[in-house]
Structures are given as C-alpha cells and as structure tokens.
Amino acid sequence: MKLEFNRVCVVGLGYIGLPTAAILASRGVEVIGLEINSHVVETINKGDIHIVEPGLDVVVRTAVMSKKLRATKTPETADAYLIAVPTPFKGDHVPDVSYVESASKALAPVLKKGDLIVLESTSPVGTTDLMAQWLKKERPDLIFASEGSEQCDVYLAYCPERVLPGHVLRELIENDRVIGGVNSVSAERAQKLYKIFVEGDCIVTNARTAEMVKLTENSFRDVNIAFANELSLLCDKFNISVWELIQLANRHPRVKILQPGPGVGGHCISVDPWFLVHQAPDEARLIHAARKVNDSKPHFVLEKVEAVSEKFKNPTVAFFGLAFKANIDDLRESPSLDIVEHFSSRRGRSVMAVEPYIDSLPKKLEESGVQLVDLETAIQNADVLVLLVDHDQFKRVDKKKFEGKAVIDTRGLWR
Ligand code: SAJ
C-alpha cells in the first residue's frame, strides 16, 4: 500500500512527541525526530528512552532497530510535521509559546508545496494562526493555509494530545482525536495522517475550536477537583468524613464528584486553565477560582501537619508519596513534593519520605536531611504519618501498626 505520508517529522521528543513518533514508525512510516537536546538525540538513536512510560522502551527500541525512527538536531524535509514542544508559562501565569515559534522557524527552510504542519502542544486560542504568521514571514514564496480560503501550498492544523500519563501508548491509539484545520483541506489532510495510527474517531473542526477543546478538557477536570478539594475543607470544619460524604452523594444518579487530594499537580491540569484565565480574565472567573482553590490545598495540608506534629515532642514525620499522582514517577509540579519541601526546610526536623518510584531524593530534600526509606521503616519509626499519594503499594498496609501514631490521610486510602 502506498502511504500518503512516507516521511513524518516529529518536533520535540518528549512525553508526547516520542510515543507518537514511535507509534507512527511502528505503522511503517519513516519518522524523523527533531530535538534540540543532544543527550535525548543520542539516547534515542541508541534505542533507549529518557522518560518513564510503561511499554515505551520496547516500541522505541523496535522502531529504531528497524530504522523507521531516528532522532536528529537538524531539520530535514518530510511530508508532514507534528509539533509537540512544551508551552509552559512565564511568571504571573503568562503562556510562553516561544518553543512553538522557534520550532516553526526551524522548519521553515525545509518546507515545500504539499506539506502539512500540525501543532499538538497545548496552546492559547489563536496560536495556530500565529504559527501561520511566523511561517509566512520566513517563507514568503509559499502560501500557508488561512481561514476562509481553501487555496494553499502548506496545510496547517491543530490537534491536541489528550493521553493520560501512565497509559500513553494505549490512549494514543484508542482515544478520539479532535482535528482543527485552519481551513477544511488542512483538516482533511491532518485527519488522514492521524488515521494511520488512531483507532478512535478523528473528528474534524476548525483550529481555534480544537485549541479551546484542549484547554476546556483540563479546566473541566481542574474545576471538578477544586469542588472536591473545597468539600474537604468544609468537611474538616464540620468534622465529617469527606470520603464518606462523596461516596454517599455519588449515589445520586446525576452526581459524580471527584476525589480531594493534597492539591493538583502535573504539567497539564495545574497549568492549562491559566491560559484561559490569561486570555479572558473577566470571563474565566470560575476557572480562576478553581485554580486558586487547588493551589491553596498544599498550604492547608501543611498547616495540618504542623498542628498535629506540635502534639509530639521531637516527632519523626513520615510522608508517603512525592509523585504528582498515583503509580507514576513524575515529580513535576507535585503538590506532595511541595509540602515535604516546606515542612523539611525548618532546621532540626526528623523527616522521612517513602516514594517507591524513585531511587534518590531530589537535591533540595536531601540537603534538608530528609531520609528516603521504605514503607515499613517509615510506619515503624514515625510518630506522624502523612499520606500524600495513593500509590497501590500504600494500599496494603496493616493499620494495626498505626496505634499511638497520628495519621493525616489526604487521599482517603487509610480511612
Ligand atoms: N487529582 C485529584 N483528584 C482526582 C483526580 C486527580 O486530586 O479525583 C489530581 C492528581 O492527583 C494530580 C492531578 O489531579 O495531581 C492531575 O492528575 P490527572 O490524572 O487528573 O491528570 P494528568 O495531569 O495526569 O493528565 C491530564 C489528563 N486530562 C484530563 O483528564 C482531562 C490527560 O488526558 C491529558 O492528556 C493531560 O492532562 C495533558 O497532557 O494535558
């Protein structure tokens, strides 16, 4: 079968770019990974990976060994380009699209008539149009897709990734994709590209809607977690178990409350809603309030730990979990890490941390004298036990061993 896309270039070989590149390669497409980090390029070309994601090592190794995937620092021609670079925010929660800009500028010299460029990075509404403007400036000889016209040399689309860390390979294939074309021909072309590996529906819309869909999905989750977190504050005040409360309220056929926790972490849900708040501060009031509720939850937990610890003389405090959520090793934007960092920054405290997914502590915790220990050691030796992450390993504890100790359970695992 002749493929319409024989060669695809994936720009940015991170948590999304690398799995996407490897899956495309596994479908017979020649994939070039364009990456600015030399260490990442070398690692991948050896058939290894630089990130932790179940099953990814095998798919990448197979793709590299079969010569369908290789990484490079130099832009090369391809039939389609997928941009999956970071879009963090600068101070004051202002979105930073400079990586998208530099990726566009890097690609500009190798573009030719008939090429397709798809932006996957989470972006403020209007970023795909901005990309068209940057490209036009670099390549005045080419006609880039524009709204309201189907005539173009280079097709442009936006297609957000929506995979859950820890389940990336399965979700990349199974999830539905929203494909937003700057014009209809771009959307159709991008749809063909995604159909090479996506088994879910590939639904076509315009680029601005697709950009907003991504921000909406993560804001929806943030607002709903904020509701659960607010309930946990109310329950603390009223001396009610928030876990029992939610379980009972969820018995209503149209109520489905999420779970409270020590705060919202990761590089998506705690970041993306700010893009909307920044673009429309007067309108995005609920989304803004939710961000504030979730961001303040670690302070609430910290105060609880302080108050409980004061009841002991020279207590040892053990924190269970540092990752931003259950069963992964990712400590980025982790509220748990934040809590332990703050608590252990006061000198002379005896602090233990249990995190089955890491071998050594982040530098800051090491410098504050925190000890990385196993589950049993922590339960045996600590006076105050603080559960921060609902890792499966923490579910199997013998609660009889908690006798005489204070327990703060932010995830409802040890109730
Ligand atoms: N959390 C709670 N209570 C809950 C659910 C989650 O406190 O009931 C916390 C987690 O502990 C964690 C944070 O929220 O700190 C985020 O975790 P998550 O599992 O909700 O989401 P992420 O950040 O791992 O991935 C999200 C997903 N988006 C949605 O579910 C709408 C994923 O599909 C996106 O692809 C990803 O963001 C992304 O890249 O944007």
Side-chain angles (χ1 to χ4, degrees):
M1 185 185 75
K2 192 180 167 327
L3 289 171
E4 199 164 328
F5 301 97
N6 291 308
R7 234 172 174 231
V8 174
C9 173
V10 176
V11 189
L13 294 176
Y15 280 85
I16 300 303
L18 182 57
T20 307
I23 287 185
L24 263 170
S26 76
R27 299 294 189 268
V29 178
E30 183 191 344
V31 182
I32 306 152
L34 184 63
E35 172 55 60
I36 51 171
N37 184 323
S38 310
H39 167 70
V40 173
V41 170
E42 285 159 25
T43 307
I44 288 161
N45 285 338
K46 276 192 274 179
D48 294 331
I49 57 172
H50 60 293
I51 49 181
V52 179
E53 179 59 40
L56 183 62
D57 49 352
V58 179
V59 190
V60 169
R61 188 166 314 124
T62 313
V64 172
M65 294 309 159
S66 64
K67 301 214 175 343
K68 283 290 180 192
L69 170 66
R70 73 189 151 82
T72 174
K73 287 179 82 175
T74 322
E76 292 180 26
T77 56
D79 304 313
Y81 299 85
L82 283 184
I83 302 180
V85 295
T87 43
F89 51 55
K90 307 178 236 182
D92 257 2
H93 303 119
V94 179
D96 176 6
V97 292
S98 61
Y99 293 99
V100 180
E101 186 174 359
S102 28
S104 311
K105 288 184 176 163
L107 295 182
V110 298
L111 293 177
K112 57 184 184 327
K113 276 189 183 179
D115 286 353
L116 163 73
I117 306 176
V118 186
L119 177 62
E120 283 209 4
S121 313
T122 304
S123 300
V125 176
T127 306
T128 314
D129 288 333
L130 259 181
M131 198 171 80
Q133 286 171 29
W134 293 322
L135 289 164
K136 254 187 234 166
K137 241 186 173 165
E138 301 292 314
R139 291 294 302 270
D141 56 315
L142 289 171
I143 302 170
F144 291 89
S146 62
E147 209 183 321
S149 162
E150 299 302 329
Q151 296 297 318
C152 57
D153 295 330
V154 178
Y155 305 95
L156 299 174
Y158 180 81
C159 177
E161 60 80 14
R162 37 175 30 174
V163 288
L164 199 66
H167 302 265
V168 170
L169 289 177
R170 183 177 52 78
E171 290 209 352
L172 262 183
I173 294 168
E174 289 180 4
N175 288 1
D176 294 343
R177 296 296 288 249
V178 175
I179 299 171
V182 165
N183 54 12
S184 307
V185 278
S186 295
E188 280 162 28
R189 231 178 127 64
Q191 192 187 37
K192 281 192 181 142
L193 175 66
Y194 283 93
K195 282 204 168 157
I196 296 175
F197 66 97
V198 173
E199 287 168 12
D201 292 337
C202 293
I203 307 141
V204 161
T205 179
N206 61 40
R208 291 173 71 82
T209 306
E211 288 163 343
M212 179 83 176
V213 163
K214 171 68 187 185
L215 302 175
T216 301
E217 289 167 359
N218 281 354
S219 299
F220 170 87
R221 199 148 166 90
D222 199 41
V223 169
N224 281 278
I225 298 169
F227 181 69
N229 276 332
E230 189 159 294
L231 286 179
S232 75
L233 305 187
L234 294 173
C235 284
D236 186 71
K237 197 169 190 143
F238 302 151
N239 197 20
I240 290 171
S241 158
V242 69
W243 318 106
E244 188 189 357
L245 173 86
I246 291 175
Q247 218 167 41
L248 295 176
N250 281 350
R251 288 292 188 108
H252 185 288
R254 285 171 297 283
V255 174
K256 199 171 186 316
I257 304 166
L258 294 179
Q259 299 298 303
V264 169
H267 36 283
C268 312
I269 294 185
S270 59
V271 176
D272 303 354
W274 286 116
F275 288 21
L276 290 175
V277 175
H278 174 72
Q279 280 193 297
D282 293 337
E283 292 79 11
R285 286 176 300 165
L286 181 62
I287 295 170
H288 195 179
R291 273 287 69 241
K292 286 200 214 155
V293 169
N294 287 335
D295 270 357
S296 67
K297 191 69 197 284
H299 304 287
F300 172 82
V301 176
L302 197 60
E303 275 175 17
K304 271 255 160 285
V305 181
E306 295 284 359
V308 169
S309 305
E310 271 168 23
K311 295 183 185 150
F312 293 81
K313 199 167 174 262
N314 300 325
T316 293
V317 180
F319 292 92
F320 296 79
L322 297 173
F324 87 82
K325 66 175 191 176
N327 306 324
I328 59 167
D329 72 325
D330 199 337
L331 306 188
R332 289 180 297 172
E333 317 286 335
S334 170
S336 313
L337 184 63
D338 202 31
I339 291 164
V340 184
E341 264 177 17
H342 272 88
F343 188 80
S344 60
S345 65
R346 279 259 299 271
R347 295 177 118 241
R349 283 183 158 169
S350 168
V351 180
M352 292 176 168
V354 185
E355 179 44 79
Y357 288 89
I358 58 172
D359 299 323
S360 60
L361 284 173
K363 216 168 166 205
K364 210 163 168 185
L365 293 192
E366 220 169 59
E367 284 168 0
S368 322
V370 177
Q371 286 175 273
L372 182 65
V373 298
D374 62 32
L375 185 68
E376 286 308 319
T377 311
I379 295 178
Q380 230 168 52
N381 296 294
D383 306 295
V384 181
L385 313 178
V386 189
L387 182 94
L388 296 174
V389 185
D390 42 347
H391 287 317
D392 286 346
Q393 290 92 332
F394 299 161
K395 288 181 185 159
R396 300 178 283 272
V397 294
D398 179 6
K399 282 186 223 144
K400 281 189 216 116
K401 293 185 181 155
F402 292 172
E403 235 182 81
K405 301 171 190 289
V407 177
I408 299 170
D409 178 0
T410 70
R411 298 278 185 178
L413 209 65
W414 291 343
R415 68 198 137 108

